[in-house]
Amino acid sequence: MSDRLSQLQDQVNKLASLFCDATGILQQRAKPSKFENFAESLNRGYEDDDKDKPVDEKSIEDVKIEYAKSITSAAKRIDELIDSLPNEDESNEQLQAQQLRELEIENAIAARQLEYVTKCAENLLQQIQQKISYVAQSQLNFHQEPKDP
Amino acid sequence: MMDNQHFDEPPTAQLSSTYPSAPMEYVNMYTNENVKSGKAPPPPKIIKDNYTSFGRLIDPNEVLIRPLESQGIQQLYSLQTPDQSRPHLNTNNYKRELKKLNHSILIAYLDLLEVLVKAPNTQIQIEQAAPIQLNELGEPIQNPEPIVIIKTLREQKLEDLEVLFINMHHLINELRPHQARDNIRCILEMQKQQRIELAEKFKEHLRKIVDLLKHCIDSIRPEVCAKQSTLMNELSNLIKNANQLTKSLDKFSPNKTNGYHIQDESDIEMREMDTERNNLINLVNITSNKLSQQKINNNNNNEQSIINNKNCDIKDLILCDLIDDFLIKENEF
């Protein structure tokens, strides 16, 4: 999932390719038109060709509608994506810069707090370790002493 | 020159790394001691003029996104604010412009289709202002003849569509810097949140540890006091017994026994008693030593440096001082 701007650009590109495809389809499936004063001489019955493929006519119509639908939905999607972009007042450059500066300061404060807590914990740990070693030492001493006399 | 450097390096460095290794005469300057004492050379200054990078000339003062018109493409949108004081994009209504462009594209396509259906080969004449030409003196020629271009309507419509698409993409790209700033903001926000959360968690754990320690101290203290008082009782009993014994021994001191015992026998008896007494006194001393040793051990067990009888003053304890300190400073935050 890309960001919104890339999505928007992709959608615009999609719209462009849909235009191309739709035009191509229209051209491909268009009835051949008569050349004036020319068709008669060739004596080709265009109408006969049409009668040969009555089912095809319907599918052409379907494809056309399909393309019209996808073009409108792509355009609609572009509009939606544009709407989803942030509002003007949120996107002020100065405001953003200020936000960044504030965030930086807040970040530094948070970092210092974290450092402080870590230092406290380290102190406590050191104290506890000292006491424990003290206790262990005196325990050893205490257990050794009765054997001495 | 580059090749020479490559040849000077050991072949292993070339094989193991994609990029050429950094020049060692610089790397050697940045030892830990040098950096600490400030002897290491400072980083180079930021380049303010033009410079080349990968064979391309780069101007750092250049605007990030060049306007369309500088690329010879007509700009179809206007992002100028009404007061014109802040010509940049971000305060402007780019959303409206984007939508307008979108609708223009659709309409242009419909136009194109119509042209294709009705009159695909219609030719139109377009008058275009001629590019400014200079005469022999280097002055622009006044009122140059407009150039007349003849193209089909279809071509014209296709060009319109192309320009519209280019404009759309360009406008979207103009939002990229803004998006980048917003990304940075999000990242910073996340970092801040992470730090705060971590600190909170850490604090929570610390508080738990402190509570646990306090609990331990509280639970140990009565035990120690009880133990100590029994020991004290024992000690006083022993001392009492010892005193009684010494008193009773004193009755048999040489002066008093002199009269009614044979000298030799009384001497022997007295010596025995003396040794007994000395033994007792020794015993008392040992016991009291043991007791004091026990006391010290108890103190240590309690993680306290001093216990005076039953009045154990917590404030005296280093550990508790630390805990208090922590709690006070935590409140300050």
Side-chain angles (χ1 to χ4, degrees), chain B residues 2-265:
Chain B
M2 287 287 279
D3 288 337
N4 286 341
Q5 275 181 355
H6 276 287
F7 282 122
D8 292 340
E9 282 160 14
T12 48
Q14 265 189 317
L15 285 174
S16 61
S17 149
T18 324
Y19 303 104
S21 55
M24 285 317 281
E25 62 263 35
Y26 283 117
V27 174
N28 289 336
M29 283 184 200
Y30 289 92
T31 55
N32 282 345
E33 298 89 56
N34 276 2
V35 172
K36 256 183 207 167
S37 59
K39 268 187 211 161
K45 280 175 189 165
I46 297 167
I47 303 168
K48 285 188 177 150
D49 300 325
N50 294 353
Y51 59 93
T52 51
S53 169
F54 296 106
R56 228 185 99 209
L57 191 73
I58 290 173
D59 181 7
N61 302 319
E62 198 182 28
V63 279
L64 276 179
I65 296 172
R66 281 185 292 166
L68 269 182
E69 269 149 358
S70 71
Q71 296 165 44
I73 295 159
Q74 189 192 1
Q75 185 173 321
L76 297 172
Y77 55 90
S78 141
L79 292 167
Q80 302 291 314
T81 38
D83 58 354
Q84 300 276 330
S85 59
R86 281 185 296 190
H88 206 265
L89 167 77
N90 292 314
T91 51
N92 296 298
N93 33 14
Y94 57 85
K95 269 164 122 171
R96 213 184 62 204
E97 292 296 332
L98 275 175
K99 276 191 180 178
K100 263 159 71 181
L101 278 176
N102 186 25
H103 297 164
S104 307
I105 285 172
L106 281 183
I107 289 162
Y109 182 61
L110 285 180
D111 280 355
L112 176 71
L113 285 187
E114 203 181 347
V115 166
L116 284 179
V117 168
K118 285 190 176 160
N121 291 320
T122 314
Q123 288 193 338
I124 49 160
Q125 287 189 354
I126 302 163
E127 282 191 8
Q128 211 175 43
I132 295 167
Q133 288 172 334
L134 303 179
N135 59 13
E136 300 83 40
L137 300 168
E139 292 163 348
I141 300 166
Q142 294 298 311
N143 300 327
E145 290 277 308
I147 301 169
V148 178
I149 303 168
I150 298 170
K151 18 175 157 172
T152 60
L153 198 56
R154 185 181 43 142
E155 279 169 351
Q156 174 64 30
K157 283 290 163 199
L158 273 174
E159 261 175 36
D160 284 354
L161 210 54
E162 194 186 331
V163 169
L164 276 169
F165 270 117
I166 290 170
N167 267 276
M168 187 95 179
H169 272 298
H170 191 262
L171 187 52
I172 295 171
N173 277 335
E174 274 190 40
L175 291 174
R176 294 264 175 205
H178 167 251
Q179 188 195 31
R181 278 193 296 269
D182 214 54
N183 263 351
I184 295 175
R185 194 179 61 82
C186 285
I187 291 167
L188 279 177
E189 194 92 47
M190 235 166 63
Q191 277 180 352
K192 191 185 87 178
Q193 217 53 44
Q194 271 176 351
R195 278 176 189 173
I196 288 173
E197 263 171 36
L198 195 65
E200 274 311 314
K201 258 190 213 163
F202 214 110
K203 244 189 233 171
E204 202 55 45
H205 280 297
L206 258 185
R207 221 172 284 144
K208 268 184 202 162
I209 291 166
V210 166
D211 282 350
L212 199 71
L213 281 174
K214 270 184 175 170
H215 184 71
C216 286
I217 292 167
D218 286 347
S219 64
I220 286 169
R221 209 186 309 137
E223 269 175 44
V224 171
C225 290
K227 223 177 190 178
Q228 205 185 0
S229 61
T230 48
L231 284 169
M232 289 298 265
N233 282 343
E234 270 175 40
L235 180 65
S236 54
N237 280 344
L238 278 169
I239 290 168
K240 231 184 264 170
N241 288 345
N243 281 341
Q244 274 177 0
L245 276 167
T246 32
K247 264 180 203 164
S248 57
L249 278 172
D250 278 346
K251 284 177 191 167
F252 299 101
S253 66
N255 297 331
K256 288 176 184 175
T257 54
N258 219 358
Y260 52 90
H261 276 287
I262 307 161
Q263 190 65 38
D264 289 344
E265 283 179 8

Side-chain angles (χ1 to χ4, degrees), chain A residues 13-135:
Chain A
N13 285 342
K14 195 184 154 195
L15 186 67
S17 65
L18 273 176
F19 282 171
C20 288
D21 288 352
T23 323
I25 287 284
L26 284 177
Q27 192 231 353
Q28 189 192 354
R29 302 300 177 101
K31 287 180 202 167
S33 62
K34 291 175 187 171
F35 289 105
E36 276 168 31
N37 310 321
F38 196 64
E40 289 94 54
S41 61
L42 277 175
N43 199 17
R44 275 185 62 183
Y46 294 103
E47 289 78 13
D48 291 350
D49 284 356
D50 288 343
K51 277 170 195 164
D52 285 350
K53 307 164 190 169
V55 189
D56 213 17
E57 186 72 27
K58 198 169 176 274
S59 71
I60 292 167
E61 216 40 58
D62 281 352
V63 170
K64 280 182 201 161
I65 290 167
E66 206 58 50
Y67 265 97
K69 272 184 189 166
S70 34
I71 285 173
T72 40
S73 71
K76 199 76 205 147
R77 180 101 185 95
I78 291 173
D79 264 2
E80 278 168 21
L81 280 168
I82 292 168
D83 277 332
S84 79
L85 293 175
N87 284 320
E88 291 164 34
D89 42 331
E90 288 170 28
S91 57
N92 193 317
E93 197 179 338
Q94 281 96 352
L95 198 74
Q96 271 189 328
Q98 203 193 330
Q99 276 177 340
L100 285 186
R101 243 172 271 136
E102 277 169 14
L103 270 174
E104 220 173 79
I105 294 166
E106 280 170 21
N107 246 342
I109 291 171
R112 223 177 297 153
Q113 214 166 333
L114 189 60
E115 265 170 33
Y116 175 74
V117 176
T118 321
K119 225 167 83 182
C120 270
E122 270 169 8
N123 264 338
L124 192 62
L125 182 68
Q126 214 181 348
Q127 293 277 343
I128 292 170
Q129 275 173 345
Q130 247 177 29
K131 297 292 172 197
I132 286 172
S133 69
Y134 199 33
V135 168

